[in-house]
Amino acid sequence: IGTIGAKSHANGNILWTALYIPETKNYTTAYVWVTASAASSEVKLGFYKISSGGLPSDKILETGGIATTSTGLKSISITSTLFDKGWVIVAVASNGSASFNAMAGGAMWGYFSGFNGIQFTSFSLHTYANALPNPWSGTITESGDNAILVGLT
């Protein structure tokens, strides 16, 4: 188990992380923890299937904007969405420079009590757009950095 830290988010970038879904079911809420706020900013989460090459492919769900103008656990209601058991890739897209709770140094299990999704590693950067592409296209550059913690219930 690694240590808990923070991952800053450069304005306009997309960061990637993986999330393990431990059971097939409908989820209705998505979460992210803001550790440093940014004025007039928000973050969107995009959940993607994983291609055979280990990259994001088809988009399962994109949340609306989650305000990052204050710190703490932030949630957003989502349309009830069936996620299959297994791994997904999550795009963390921000139009500001907020920081998020992140995991450094290895796998992390059950950080948020009651969360059904468990993530493991941060992945890369890509330019932010108002709407996340479906299916994913473009190049991804690995950052090898802290993993932003996200969750579903």
Side-chain angles (χ1 to χ4, degrees), residues 11 28-29 37 41 56 71 82 88 125 129 135 143:
N11 186 2
T28 58
T29 307
S37 60
S41 67
T71 60
L82 180 66
V88 296
L125 305 171
S143 67

Side-chain angles (χ1 to χ4, degrees), residues 53-146:
L55 297 174
S57 61
D58 296 329
K59 186 168 53 176
I60 302 165
L61 169 76
E62 180 176 332
T63 70
I66 303 168
T68 55
T69 55
S70 64
T71 60
L73 182 63
K74 305 299 177 185
S75 65
I76 189 167
S77 294
I78 57 176
T79 301
S80 182
T81 303
L82 180 66
F83 281 83
D84 291 326
K85 180 179 180 177
W87 292 100
V88 296
I89 294 179
V90 183
V92 181
S94 179
N95 64 355
S97 56
S99 291
F100 302 93
N101 229 356
M103 186 70 199
M108 201 302 272
W109 301 100
Y111 176 67
F112 292 120
S113 174
F115 274 29
N116 293 305
I118 302 169
Q119 61 79 50
F120 77 106
T121 187
S122 179
F123 208 62
S124 55
L125 305 171
H126 194 282
T127 303
Y128 174 84
N130 286 331
L132 296 170
N134 185 28
W136 179 258
S137 61
T139 58
I140 294 177
T141 304
E142 186 171 346
S143 67
D145 210 338
N146 296 351

Side-chain angles (χ1 to χ4, degrees), residues 7-32:
K7 173 66 180 168
S8 60
H9 200 298
N11 186 2
N13 286 331
I14 295 175
L15 298 176
W16 297 92
T17 194
L19 182 73
Y20 183 71
I21 308 296
E23 65 178 312
T24 298
K25 66 177 263 184
N26 285 300
Y27 293 88
T28 58
T29 307
Y31 301 86
V32 65

